[in-house]
């Protein structure tokens, strides 16, 4: 069965006798009449695989004939001359497997047919004024109609409550896309590592990595690439990428392609001139050991905090060894002193969104237990900011190492394992393309 149809069925069963309304993304203007690149809404894509704006999916359980209905833009020859083909109302049922399709302009008028008889409407108010207004209009029409006969939804729920737990567990088809995204991201990192030389600019490394993504068929980067050298390695979300690479400093690259709406998310840190200094190596070894300890914890039944705690322990021990923290291990962990240098979590869900849908805590408000099919990043880091009161020789060193880890029945699979991170691998590959710096 078509996976999108299957997900719609699963969602329909989950909402019992009720109705769900899931809008697509819309085009957003960047300036004047130029739009930002269109990226489909992840929930809508998950349920339809349909990549056009201005559409709404309705899952109905009370309607006699239609269980899933799509409202979408109709064919328009004039617009298609400029913007390319549209699927159109006529072809939608066959192409997408929905029971019925109508022009998006009929949404408010036709929605009451599907609302009547339902108790709860699953719709996320507050995302789009236009769609909110159409839904309110449709509710009003449904009330008018129901004065004579029928029931009107009187409870409202966020479809995320039902959909996002589904999205948390990836199917084989989703994992195959995520593996391909990881393979493309690998090519980007290898190219960026080979191209790195003192005197280049951060944006040249950004261009090298993103060129590979596009060349290999990825539609987007999954988020803005972070390409920070020198002191910028200690800025967690540095995305300006404008500075020159100086010999003797590190380069931190946090980047991933998005393929068919699925993200990859990888961080590697390497020396600009291909040789770690003693201090850089000391910090790097701690972060790598912390990441390996955390990954080793990832298996079904383990709670999310457990792999974070494993990373925190290794990082804190390492910082004590280097004299960047003082006192006992327990006290530094208890009092969270390690947060001076490692101030973020160790990972997030990954999937259609780079910070993917799905709760981090369970019904008892405990950290979520891992289950097979979940994908999480594991990404500890140490950042010795210039403004800290600590040994001068470590200042300006920031290291993060991040991989995408699939929870399997046996334990885990590192989807981004093939991207080099051992010191000897990095020292061999960095700068090996020997591109001359731009004059
Ligand atoms: Mn990440």
């Amino acid at each position: 069965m078509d996976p999108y149809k299957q997900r719609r069925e699963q969602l329909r069963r989950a909402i019992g006798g009720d109705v769900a309304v899931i809008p697509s993304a819309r085009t957003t203007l960047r300036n004047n009449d130029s739009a930002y690149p269109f990226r489909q809404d992840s929930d809508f894509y998950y349920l339809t695989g349909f990549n056009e704006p201005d559409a709404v999916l309705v899952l109905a359980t009370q309607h006699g004939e239609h269980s899933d209905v799509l409202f979408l833009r109709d064919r328009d020859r004039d617009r298609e001359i400029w913007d390319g083909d549209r699927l159109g109302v006529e072809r939608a049922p066959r192409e997408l497997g929905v029971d019925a399709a109508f022009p998006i302009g009929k949404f408010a008028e036709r929605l009451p047919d599907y609302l009547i008889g339902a108790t709860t409407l699953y719709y996320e108010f507050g995302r789009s004024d236009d769609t909110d207004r159409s839904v309110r209009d449709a509710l009003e029409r449904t009330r008018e109609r129901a004065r004579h006969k029928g029931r009107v939804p009187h409870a409202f729920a966020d479809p995320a409550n039902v959909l996002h737990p589904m999205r948390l567990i990836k199917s084989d088809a989703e994992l195959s896309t995520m593996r391909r995204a990881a393979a493309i991201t690998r090519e980007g990192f290898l190219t960026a590592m080979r191209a790195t030389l003192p005197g280049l600019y951060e944006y040249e490394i950004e261009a090298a990595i993103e060129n590979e993504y596009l060349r290999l068929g990825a539609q987007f980067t999954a988020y803005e690439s972070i390409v920070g050298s020198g002191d910028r390695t200690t800025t967690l979300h540095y995305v300006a990428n404008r500075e020159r690479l100086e010999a003797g400093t590190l380069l931190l690259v946090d980047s991933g392609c998005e393929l068919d709406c699925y993200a990859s998310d990888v961080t590697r840190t390497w020396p600009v001139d291909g040789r770690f200094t003693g201090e850089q190596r000391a910090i790097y070894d701690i972060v790598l050991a912390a990441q390996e300890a955390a990954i080793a914890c990832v298996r079904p039944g383990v709670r999310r905090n457990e792999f974070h705690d494993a990373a925190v322990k290794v990082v804190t021990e390492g910082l004590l060894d280097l004299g960047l923290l003082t006192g006992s291990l327990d006290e530094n962990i208890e009092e969270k002193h390690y947060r001076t240098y490692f101030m973020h979590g160790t990972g997030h869900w990954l999937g259609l969104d780079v910070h993917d849908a799905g709760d981090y805590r369970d019904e008892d408000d405990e950290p979520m237990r891992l289950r097979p099919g979940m994908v999480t990043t594991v990404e500890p880091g140490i950042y010795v900011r210039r403004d800290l009161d600590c040994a001068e020789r470590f200042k300006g060193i920031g290291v993060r190492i991040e991989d995408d880890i699939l929870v399997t029945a046996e334990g885990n699979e590192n989807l981004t394992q093939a991207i080099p991170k051992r010191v000897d691998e990095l020292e061999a590959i960095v700068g090996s393309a020997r591109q001359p710096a731009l004059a």
Side-chain angles (χ1 to χ4, degrees):
M1 195 190 201
D2 165 32
Y4 303 105
K5 182 93 185 160
Q6 205 173 338
R7 291 171 195 156
R8 293 196 295 271
E9 282 298 326
Q10 196 184 340
L11 179 58
R12 238 164 45 81
R13 277 197 304 274
I15 63 172
D18 290 316
V19 57
V21 172
I22 316 281
S24 74
R26 308 155 64 87
T27 42
T28 308
L29 289 181
R30 184 166 182 269
N31 54 44
N32 200 351
D33 56 354
S34 296
Y36 282 103
F38 176 74
R39 165 56 157 80
Q40 188 54 280
D41 176 83
S42 294
D43 285 338
F44 182 87
Y45 187 82
Y46 184 74
L47 294 170
T48 62
F50 182 50
N51 212 14
E52 290 186 21
D54 304 323
V56 183
L57 174 70
V58 178
L59 297 182
T61 56
Q62 300 288 337
H63 191 273
E65 291 162 52
H66 306 152
S67 61
D68 47 9
V69 188
L70 189 67
F71 294 86
L72 72 165
R73 301 180 307 182
D74 212 345
R75 305 293 304 266
D76 178 335
R77 187 165 182 278
D78 286 346
R79 284 318 319 164
E80 288 180 59
I81 286 171
W82 288 89
D83 302 330
D85 285 356
R86 296 176 174 187
L87 180 64
V89 166
E90 206 172 300
R91 290 189 288 184
R94 184 164 34 91
E95 291 291 320
L96 301 173
V98 290
D99 292 338
F102 300 105
I104 185 68
K106 300 280 182 200
F107 172 61
E109 184 185 319
R110 290 215 168 245
L111 184 58
D113 294 346
Y114 303 103
L115 294 181
I116 202 147
T119 303
T120 302
L121 167 60
Y122 288 81
Y123 170 73
E124 187 187 0
F125 280 100
R127 291 268 298 277
S128 146
D129 286 344
D130 289 346
T131 316
D132 284 359
R133 198 175 310 116
S134 297
V135 170
R136 285 199 310 267
D137 285 354
L139 280 165
E140 196 46 50
R141 286 176 211 216
T142 313
R143 282 185 199 108
E144 280 162 21
R145 230 198 268 178
R147 254 173 234 142
H148 310 290
K149 184 169 177 281
R151 190 166 57 177
V152 189
H154 62 261
F156 302 93
D158 187 341
N161 293 328
V162 193
L163 252 180
H164 291 182
M166 286 168 59
R167 280 178 52 189
L168 204 43
I169 307 295
K170 273 68 181 177
S171 68
D172 289 346
E174 291 181 287
L175 289 172
S176 116
T177 306
M178 292 185 76
R179 283 197 183 87
R180 284 192 293 131
I184 293 173
T185 295
R186 170 176 182 266
E187 295 306 311
F189 271 83
L190 291 178
T191 301
M193 287 169 181
R194 289 189 192 114
T196 300
L197 279 182
L200 292 181
Y201 285 84
E202 292 163 352
Y203 53 76
E204 293 178 82
I205 304 302
E206 180 183 18
I209 198 166
E210 295 185 3
N211 179 65
E212 285 300 283
Y213 298 166
L214 292 180
R215 191 179 72 80
L216 294 168
Q219 293 87 348
F220 299 106
T221 56
Y223 52 96
E224 275 191 287
S225 297
I226 296 168
V227 182
S229 62
D231 289 358
R232 275 86 52 197
T233 56
T234 66
T235 302
L236 298 178
H237 284 167
Y238 171 78
V239 292
N241 306 347
R242 300 313 294 173
E243 299 297 323
R244 228 167 95 110
L245 310 187
E246 303 293 346
T249 71
L250 292 175
L251 176 65
L252 184 154
V253 178
D254 183 341
S255 178
C257 76
E258 182 179 291
L259 178 70
D260 300 341
C261 286
Y262 284 85
S264 56
D265 181 3
V266 172
T267 308
R268 292 290 185 266
T269 309
W270 61 86
V272 163
D273 53 18
R275 284 278 166 260
F276 284 90
T277 66
E279 287 77 14
Q280 291 165 355
R281 174 76 195 257
I283 301 281
Y284 191 88
D285 285 345
I286 298 167
V287 177
L288 184 57
Q291 201 224 14
E292 284 169 347
I295 293 172
C297 287
V298 173
R299 63 183 169 273
V302 161
R303 292 191 186 274
R304 278 204 66 95
N305 63 305
E306 294 181 57
F307 63 86
H308 175 65
D309 294 347
V312 163
K313 180 158 180 284
V314 175
V315 164
T316 309
E317 281 170 347
L319 292 169
L320 284 164
D321 286 346
L322 295 182
L324 287 167
L325 290 176
T326 54
S328 75
L329 177 65
D330 289 348
E331 178 210 317
N332 274 285
I333 291 176
E334 190 72 21
E335 303 291 324
K336 295 190 179 349
H337 293 320
Y338 62 85
R339 289 188 65 90
T340 306
Y341 303 98
F342 174 25
M343 61 294 280
H344 56 74
T346 299
H348 50 82
W349 305 127
L350 184 74
L352 287 164
D353 300 345
V354 60
H355 292 177
D356 204 30
D359 287 332
Y360 285 82
R361 304 189 78 83
D362 63 19
E363 315 76 56
D364 303 322
D365 201 28
E366 293 294 329
M368 187 77 87
R369 281 189 196 281
L370 300 176
R371 280 178 284 146
M374 292 174 166
V375 180
T376 182
T377 66
V378 175
E379 50 176 311
I382 294 178
Y383 314 90
V384 189
R385 294 184 57 84
R386 219 19 98 185
D387 57 9
L388 291 178
D389 181 17
C390 71
E392 200 65 30
R393 62 198 181 101
F394 291 108
K395 287 186 178 175
I397 297 178
V399 173
R400 179 165 63 253
I401 307 173
E402 173 177 30
D403 283 297
D404 303 343
I405 310 296
L406 163 68
V407 184
T408 63
E410 300 77 31
N412 71 68
E413 176 190 335
N414 184 345
L415 301 177
T416 48
Q417 178 68 41
I419 304 176
K421 62 181 172 183
R422 284 204 328 261
V423 164
D424 61 323
E425 292 175 311
L426 293 174
E427 291 192 338
I429 192 173
V430 170
S432 58
R434 298 274 166 237
Q435 279 180 357
L438 294 184

